[in-house]
Amino acid sequence: MQARWLDLTRRELPGLAATRGWPVRADHCFQRILLDNAFGGVWYDHVARRPAYVHADPAALARAVALGEAAIAGTADLGELNRRSLDWRGKTPRNHGQAPPCHPLVNP
């Protein structure tokens, strides 16, 4: 599952971001969005150690991967997942609905 996670968040999702019009482009942004939504809140409130994909509950990582695959398939709205993640973090979108720039996480 970890290998699938890394391929999904480092290669597949960033590779599709521009053509899909997604609000983020960087791998760590996709990781934040998917992990937050898999946990139903800020991922680091649920994972004690970094990197998160190594130390997360396997079921949560599987949920995060499934969300990423659903975004690729067009059955999950990545923009909405991002808005939810930002809301949990107390951040609000800027620039007329555009998400704020994603800041690097320490070994997500």
Side-chain angles (χ1 to χ4, degrees):
M1 186 62 60
Q2 291 178 14
R4 176 66 185 126
W5 170 256
L6 292 174
D7 187 56
L8 183 68
T9 61
R10 290 182 177 171
R11 187 185 63 79
E12 289 185 53
L13 293 168
L16 292 170
T19 59
R20 298 285 179 95
W22 288 336
V24 298
R25 304 284 186 270
D27 60 354
H28 59 269
C29 296
F30 289 107
Q31 292 170 357
R32 169 189 54 82
I33 292 166
L34 299 177
L35 286 170
D36 281 2
N37 280 277
F39 283 108
V42 179
W43 67 264
Y44 48 77
D45 290 341
H46 302 272
V47 182
R49 297 179 57 207
R50 289 15 174 207
Y53 71 92
V54 172
H55 298 286
D57 169 37
L61 186 60
R63 288 191 304 272
V65 167
L67 283 170
E69 290 172 340
I72 289 171
T75 58
D77 182 345
L78 195 75
E80 177 57 31
L81 295 174
N82 184 48
R83 284 186 290 278
R84 191 178 305 154
S85 172
L86 292 172
D87 186 49
W88 285 320
R89 291 163 178 269
K91 297 181 180 181
T92 57
R94 298 183 301 197
N95 302 327
H96 308 287
Q98 295 299 313
C102 189
H103 299 286
L105 300 174
V106 177
N107 297 320

